[in-house]
Amino acid sequence: MSLETSPFPFLELVECLKNIPRSGWVRRGVPEPIESVSDHMYRMAIMCRMAPGVQLERFCITAPSLMIASLMKRHERGPNEKHLREEMALKFLACTVRPLNPSFADLILELWCEFEAGETRTSQLVRQIDKLECIDQAIIYEERSGVNLGNFMALEEQITLPELKRWKKIRLQDYENLKSRKKARITVVFVSGGPGVGKGTQCARVAKEFDFCHISVGDLLREEAKSPTSPYRDFIPESIQKSVLLPAQLTTLLLKQEIGRAQVGGTRRFLLDGFPRSVVQATDFELKACICRCLRRALADSSLTDL
């Protein structure tokens, strides 16, 4: 394989990123699966693409170059050594790709210098997106695993660009809601069954007699589809019309919102009528809405009595 004609030595370096877990999550005991360097890079790219005004093409080169540098800086002993190892890693990348594309090699080094200087708007945005992605991922991991990752919220002080402040505010509020859900001892009962078997009738009776909040998933979806401001107002009826099961993530999102509104009023017991319709739905809900109840239960009892 000739370096002068083949792109694959460089692409092999990029491929390595898929197999390198982000060390911060490992050190804090987050259970697998853990975000890889490549995962982090990809999410940053998506977030930058969503943010207004960024030059995505420049970022798409900057991010992989910086992440690949992590391959060669795992044992640095201080900021000076970290900088030196990153510099040499980027030069190694440039050398690898230069025979095939000299201008691309020059661009890698140019963008790394731009990022390190932190003077351009794009470099500042990339730096702050990095912090915001860490906050977002920490909240996701704490929600799934129960591991306390609240110290990552301190990164919010480094997110100052106007276009990111709203995102930061939303995610920090999500974290406050997560902490409230962890403190609240809620009971969730799944009520499944075929059409017309009386789920709604029985749920209404149980809710009245035992003070449960009755949430019909079917009604919840229909209300969402009728809302003129919902981004899913066309997607939901189209999926139903085509007999395609709605994404588990959408159902979980709507349920979390409805349960959260009820919790504000002091409700702690919920009947979910018509849910789950699949194991995927049940798993997604328990990961994101029940604070690892299934995971903790599974350690003591391998049965699936909840379902």
Side-chain angles (χ1 to χ4, degrees):
M1 181 168 58
S2 172
L3 289 177
E4 288 78 11
T5 59
S6 175
F8 295 106
F10 179 84
L11 294 176
E12 185 175 337
L13 292 173
V14 176
E15 191 275 338
C16 291
L17 300 177
K18 296 190 295 185
N19 304 312
I20 301 176
R22 296 261 285 165
S23 58
W25 308 126
V26 176
R27 289 196 301 269
R28 287 164 178 82
V30 174
E32 295 184 352
I34 294 175
E35 175 190 44
S36 71
V37 172
S38 183
D39 295 331
H40 178 61
M41 178 183 72
Y42 177 75
R43 280 165 54 85
M44 284 180 63
I46 294 295
M47 292 170 75
C48 277
R49 186 66 181 91
M50 293 167 65
V54 66
Q55 299 179 45
L56 179 65
E57 294 78 10
R58 293 178 67 80
F59 171 76
C60 283
I61 298 170
T62 304
S65 302
L66 292 169
M67 295 305 172
I68 293 171
S70 67
L71 290 169
M72 298 180 63
K73 69 178 184 66
R74 290 195 144 201
H75 304 292
E76 71 271 6
R77 297 181 179 178
N80 292 335
E81 184 174 350
K82 175 179 181 293
H83 179 85
L84 177 60
R85 285 179 175 269
E86 287 180 346
E87 179 185 2
M88 297 313 296
L90 267 294
K91 287 182 177 179
F92 170 59
L93 289 173
C95 289
T96 303
V97 78
R98 187 173 297 281
L100 183 72
N101 192 329
S103 61
F104 182 63
D106 291 338
L107 186 58
I108 287 176
L109 295 176
E110 174 192 334
L111 293 177
W112 179 72
C113 291
E114 177 184 339
F115 179 85
E116 284 294 294
E119 297 175 353
T120 66
R121 181 177 176 279
T122 298
S123 65
Q124 292 166 5
L125 181 65
V126 171
R127 285 170 177 266
Q128 294 188 28
I129 284 285
D130 175 48
K131 303 297 185 290
L132 184 58
E133 198 279 337
C134 284
I135 288 175
D136 179 47
Q137 191 67 66
I139 295 171
I140 290 172
Y141 282 149
E142 182 164 336
E143 190 170 45
R144 290 178 183 173
S145 69
V147 176
N148 187 343
L149 298 170
N151 56 326
F152 280 93
M153 301 307 113
L155 293 173
E156 63 97 5
E157 296 178 358
Q158 302 179 47
I159 303 172
T160 59
L161 290 176
E163 54 266 58
L164 298 183
K165 284 187 176 181
R166 180 173 175 273
W167 292 4
K168 177 181 72 172
K169 181 179 179 181
I170 291 172
R171 212 55 180 119
L172 291 176
Q173 183 58 56
D174 289 340
Y175 186 65
E176 291 302 314
N177 295 341
L178 171 61
K179 291 194 295 183
S180 297
R181 293 203 309 273
K182 290 176 71 174
K183 293 178 182 178
R185 300 182 66 85
I186 69 171
T187 298
V188 177
V189 177
F190 296 158
V191 182
S192 295
V197 299
K199 297 188 300 296
T201 301
Q202 296 303 320
C203 284
R205 291 177 177 176
V206 172
K208 182 178 180 180
E209 184 169 350
F210 297 102
D211 194 27
F212 272 76
C213 176
H214 174 202
I215 301 176
S216 167
V217 173
D219 290 347
L220 199 61
L221 291 169
R222 284 186 284 272
E223 290 172 9
E224 186 70 17
K226 291 178 182 177
S227 172
T229 60
S230 172
Y232 306 110
R233 62 184 180 276
D234 296 324
F235 175 77
I236 291 173
E238 182 181 357
S239 297
I240 295 173
Q241 181 183 6
K242 294 180 178 179
S243 300
V244 176
L245 193 62
L246 289 162
Q249 294 83 356
L250 172 58
T251 309
T252 298
L253 174 64
L254 297 179
L255 283 171
K256 281 177 64 177
Q257 290 177 347
E258 191 68 15
I259 289 172
R261 283 191 285 265
Q263 282 185 282
V264 172
T267 302
R268 295 292 180 267
R269 296 194 284 184
F270 300 90
L271 287 173
L272 302 190
D273 176 358
F275 183 87
R277 293 187 62 189
S278 69
V279 174
V280 174
Q281 282 188 345
T283 301
D284 191 68
F285 176 80
E286 292 207 325
L287 281 174
K288 297 175 181 177
C290 284
I291 313 302
C292 306
R293 178 170 55 85
C294 262
L295 297 179
R296 289 196 297 269
R297 186 194 67 232
L299 295 176
D301 184 359
S302 60
S303 67
L304 293 177
T305 54
D306 284 349
L307 300 179

